[in-house]
């Protein structure tokens, strides 16, 4: 009963436009009021405790790194470099859009920073070159989801914190699926480009290419140092995020000389405001998660699966369908805070390794970044391209379909995602 | 199910529901055996008058959170270690966390089950204004060193990054040995040992072997330093306890006693089992002359005891050796 | 004016805490490599982080930038849009007041608890961030409400 009531309240509050983080908080407050003898003060208690975790410090740090990259025009360097590689193929700008998202993903832990940074440059550019707005918006939004699949990744850090899986291991698992998504998208773009006669960009001369390449090396080094450092144990994920910021500052200020001291106040304010949005939602989700613990939801779910489902594959499909649904309404972080503790024991009983559950969850929730009503990357890209959400969403569908296919491949042939990690660091698994 | 009403105090029919919580998620943890025994006895002896709901890590994996809930009313019975008790303002409790205060299980039991234990229980109740009432002393085993190399003498620990509890007195002691105390969350420790973020750690067999720390590069050499015969406090919210009927109070005390016996028995049994498991998995265990460690600890114990006004208590503990 | 000033102060506090936690993490990595024990860094970093998140969240409520599903709000026009904003703000007012009120309850309960690594520091300094967040959220929301009522017969809803 109370479960239905709370779900109803949740939907109504969301539809009338109460911010999602507050909807989550209000629902948990009502839930606690319904439990006699359990004080409502647990809502703020749990909100603060939800943030009391060293791992979470990585969130603003990775957002800081991405903001620094955008301010320091390192994103522009990456775009130039990507163009010099794939620009001459038919649909060059579209390919570059995807490739730069893959490069950007290696530094940034969040997808939104990529949509904003790259979208602001490439969407107008693509329109100017004669692409229709739908294509520009669709490709920008869809390809930026790679940001959370290729490491580093904030959702992976949160997942690792929830499940005690090694962050380094999860990062390694993300590499192949992320690259696969990017390559598959480029293949689709190529097919569409030939059919629709998308323009090509002038081919870069070898000399020009080498120049761009050398120019981009310092920016390209970041992911190598980051992932390498975490896997080799030189620093923890949080420290790596701090390091990425410092490194970007050094490169931006002293190598490219595009980052100025006067830019810093704005960068810091942007970092604070943007990260406090997802972290406040996380705090509220912790309170709701606590409520679910008092109702012992996880043992109920465990029993449901134990009594009704006996196939690991069906279990995985249910998880994917569930997170597709949840991801349409909620950010990845609160979604994981709420449901991973409930799902993890069931996954264990089916023999699904936490790292596999992790990559499946993260890829599924990445799709949620571009599905309405609440797809942050879609909303951002649509805003930049000045396109209504409905049309943006239809534009993004073919690319989501690709992420979905790769997701199924990764889920049902675990060997693919596990190839790199088992090669590099077999003792982690 | 979803529709059940959760209650934490006495209802109209005089029935009560007790929410009992500890911070360990493993169903094999000794705490869970203890809590289940508490539940079994309390429910049986009360003829269904008392219901106990056990939460194994689901109401928080951090002890500070459990203490907060005990005080506010989100949980009725919780298990807490000395470091977190002293955080609530009962500094005297730090004494129980100091390295080498206890020399054996016998010594520890003589202390907690005797006059000192009674005194401390009264102090907890008084100092917390009846928020906390002690139901019994549990153990989380005896803590040993484990790291990237075995210790053969106290000098071997010089310069090693050691993951330990971060409360003042404990960190002071390890600094005095020459180690570098480092803060790493328990959940992140496996990875930190594997990747070399820390060189060593310290804990009791059931705890670190269940987490596979002994299988890591920096956790496979175990030296039995036995520096801490640990104490855990099984607490109930005193105000709630007072609101129960006398009969219910008696049943709770009886259940607590049964839980104490069960938990201690399981810890000791698991220490043997998990030591064997560690050895079978390839970890190496060695003994060490503990005297230099004990000598080093004494002045630090004295100093801390003076700071927190427990010199007499420390003397009584030492006299029971 | 007052609201602007309040927002500015709160944003500055948030950014300062962000800087504190950033510097603390750098100290942590550096000291670990130098073999120096700086066990306090974990708590200082985490608690500064909590402060900066809560301050930032409050500022973003004033700016109405928390992520929301605004299809219905965008469909409505004129008075009905303003009415919906009024309803939303009233709901937010109740919730943020609850955060403020229960935040004070919590601060009172835990004020004298101490930090683990720095026992001379009180946990109250951390917990008080909640009523401060809740209280400023109440002020911002009240301001939204008042502005909206003032302009109710005017042209556009005050966002
Ligand atoms: Na990434
Ligand atoms: Na892109």
């Amino acid at each position: 009963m109370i479960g239905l009531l709370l779900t109803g309240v949740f939907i109504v509050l969301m539809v009338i436009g109460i911010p999602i983080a507050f909807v989550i908080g209000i629902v948990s407050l009502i839930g606690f009021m319904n439990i006699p003898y359990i004080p409502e003060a647990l809502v703020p208690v749990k909100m603060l405790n939800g943030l009391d975790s060293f791992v979470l410090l990585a969130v603003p740090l990775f957002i800081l790194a991405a903001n620094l990259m955008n301010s320091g025009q390192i994103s522009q360097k990456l775009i130039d470099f990507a163009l010099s590689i794939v620009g001459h193929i038919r649909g060059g700008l579209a390919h570059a859009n995807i490739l730069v998202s893959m490069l950007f993903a290696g530094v940034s832990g969040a997808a939104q920073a990529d949509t904003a940074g790259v979208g602001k440059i490439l969407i107008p550019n693509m329109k100017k070159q004669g692409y229709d707005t739908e294509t520009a918006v669709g490709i920008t939004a869809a390809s930026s989801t790679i940001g959370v699949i290729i490491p580093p990744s904030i959702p992976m850090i949160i997942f690792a914190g929830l499940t005690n899986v090694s962050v380094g291991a999860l990062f390694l698992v993300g590499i192949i699926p992320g690259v696969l998504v990017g390559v598959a998208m480029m293949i689709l773009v190529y097919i569409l480009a030939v059919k629709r006669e998308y323009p090509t960009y002038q081919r870069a001369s070898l000399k020009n290419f080498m120049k761009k390449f050398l120019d981009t090396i310092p920016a390209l080094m970041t992911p190598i140092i980051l992932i390498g450092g975490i896997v080799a144990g030189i620093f923890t994920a949080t420290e790596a995020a701090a390091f990425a910021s410092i490194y970007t500052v050094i490169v931006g200020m002293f190598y490219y000389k595009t980052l100025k001291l006067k830019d810093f106040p704005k960068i810091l304010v942007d970092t604070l405001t943007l990260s406090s949005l997802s972290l406040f939602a996380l705090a509220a989700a912790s309170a709701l998660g606590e409520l679910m613990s008092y109702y012992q939801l996880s043992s109920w779910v465990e029993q449901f699966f134990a009594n009704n489902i006996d196939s690991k594959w069906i279990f995985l499909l249910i998880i994917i369908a569930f997170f597709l649904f949840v991801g349409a309404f909620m950010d990845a972080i609160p979604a994981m805070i709420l449901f991973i503790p409930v799902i993890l024991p069931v996954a264990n009983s089916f023999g699904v390794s936490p790292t596999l559950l992790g990559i499946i969850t993260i890829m599924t929730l990445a799709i949620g970044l571009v599905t309405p009503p609440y797809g942050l990357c879609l909303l951002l890209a649509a805003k930049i391209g000045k396109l209504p959400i409905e049309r943006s969403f239809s534009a993004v569908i073919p690319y989501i379909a690709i992420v979905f296919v790769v997701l199924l491949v990764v889920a049902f042939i675990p060997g693919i995602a596990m190839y790199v990690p088992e090669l590099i660091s077999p003792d982690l698994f | 199910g979803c529709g059940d009403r959760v209650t934490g105090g006495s209802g109209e029919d005089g029935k009560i529901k007790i929410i009992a919580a500890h911070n360990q998620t493993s169903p094999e943890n000794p705490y869970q055996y203890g809590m289940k025994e508490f539940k079994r006895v309390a429910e049986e002896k009360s003829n269904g008058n008392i219901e106990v709901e056990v939460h194994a890590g689901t109401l928080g994996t951090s002890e500070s959170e459990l203490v907060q809930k005990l005080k506010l009313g989100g949980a009725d019975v919780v298990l807490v270690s000395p470091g977190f008790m002293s955080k609530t303002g009962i500094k005297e409790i730090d004494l129980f966390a100091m390295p080498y205060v206890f020399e054996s299980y016998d010594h520890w039991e003589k202390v907690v089950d005797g006059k000192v234990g009674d005194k401390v229980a009264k102090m907890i109740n008084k100092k917390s204004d009846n928020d906390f009432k002690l139901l019994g002393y549990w153990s989380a085993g005896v803590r040993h060193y484990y790291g990237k190399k075995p210790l053969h003498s106290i000098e071997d620990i010089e310069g090693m990054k050691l993951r330990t509890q971060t409360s003042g007195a404990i960190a002071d002691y390890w600094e005095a040995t020459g180690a570098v105390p480092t803060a790493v969350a328990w959940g992140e420790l496996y990875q930190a040992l594997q990747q070399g973020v820390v060189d060593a750690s310290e804990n009791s067999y059931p705890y670190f072997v269940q987490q596979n720390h002994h299988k890591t590069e920096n956790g496979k050499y175990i030296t039995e330093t036995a520096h801490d015969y640990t104490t855990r406090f099984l607490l109930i919210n005193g105000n709630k306890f007072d609101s129960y009927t006398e009969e219910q109070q008696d049943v709770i005390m009886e259940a607590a006693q049964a839980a104490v016996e069960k938990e201690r028995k399981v810890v000791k049994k698991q220490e043997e089992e998990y030591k064997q498991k560690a050895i079978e998995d390839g970890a190496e265990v060695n003994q060490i002359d503990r005297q230099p460690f004990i000598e080093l600890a004494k002045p630090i114990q004295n100093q801390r005891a003076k700071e927190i006004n427990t010199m007499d208590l420390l003397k009584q503990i030492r006299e029971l050796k | 004016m007052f609201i602007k000033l309040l927002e500015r102060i709160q944003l500055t506090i948030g950014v300062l805490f962000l800087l504190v936690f950033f510097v603390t993490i750098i100290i942590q990595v550096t000291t670990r490599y130098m073999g120096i024990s700086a066990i306090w860094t974990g708590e200082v970093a985490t608690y500064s982080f909590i402060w900066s998140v809560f301050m930032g969240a409050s500022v973003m409520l004033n700016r109405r930038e928390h992520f929301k599903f605004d299809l219905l709000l965008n469909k409505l026009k004129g008075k009905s849009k303003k009415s919906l904003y009024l309803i939303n703000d009233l709901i937010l007012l109740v919730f943020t007041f609850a955060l403020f009120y229960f935040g004070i309850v919590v601060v009172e309960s835990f004020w004298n608890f101490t930090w683990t690594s720095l026992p001379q520091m009180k946990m109250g300094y951390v917990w008080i961030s909640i009523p401060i967040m809740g209280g400023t959220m109440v002020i911002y929301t009240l301001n939204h409400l008042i502005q909206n009522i003032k302009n109710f017969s005017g042209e556009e809803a005050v966002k």
Side-chain angles (χ1 to χ4, degrees), chain C residues 139-151:
Chain C
I139 296 173
Y140 295 140
T141 308
L142 270 175
N143 179 54
H144 287 158
L145 269 169
I146 293 168
Q147 298 297 324
N148 224 339
I149 292 169
K150 267 190 195 163
N151 299 317

Side-chain angles (χ1 to χ4, degrees), chain A residues 75-85 100 212 215-216:
Chain A
S75 320
Q76 181 69 55
K77 305 266 174 210
L78 290 176
I79 292 173
D80 290 346
F81 175 60
L83 265 176
S84 72
I85 298 176
V100 81
K212 292 264 160 63
D215 202 30
T216 327

Side-chain angles (χ1 to χ4, degrees), chain A residues 101-102 104-111 146-154:
Chain A
S101 288
M102 293 163 72
F104 202 91
V107 188
S108 152
I146 300 171
V148 294
I149 305 174
I150 291 185
S153 158
I154 290 172

Side-chain angles (χ1 to χ4, degrees), chain A residues 81-125:
Chain A
F81 175 60
L83 265 176
S84 72
I85 298 176
V86 293
H88 62 279
I89 305 171
R90 188 156 285 280
L93 264 178
H95 289 296
N97 193 333
I98 296 165
L99 185 61
V100 81
S101 288
M102 293 163 72
L103 297 176
F104 202 91
V107 188
S108 152
Q112 294 99 294
D114 171 46
T115 321
V118 178
K120 264 180 215 148
I121 303 171
L122 279 185
I123 293 179
N125 245 322

Side-chain angles (χ1 to χ4, degrees), chain A residues 35-38, chain B residues 6-11 16-19 73 76 240 244:
Chain A
I35 308 178
Y37 310 109
I38 302 286
Chain B
V6 183
T7 59
S10 42
I16 56 171
K17 176 157 176 173
I18 290 176
I19 294 178
D76 306 310
K240 270 203 185 153
Y244 301 151

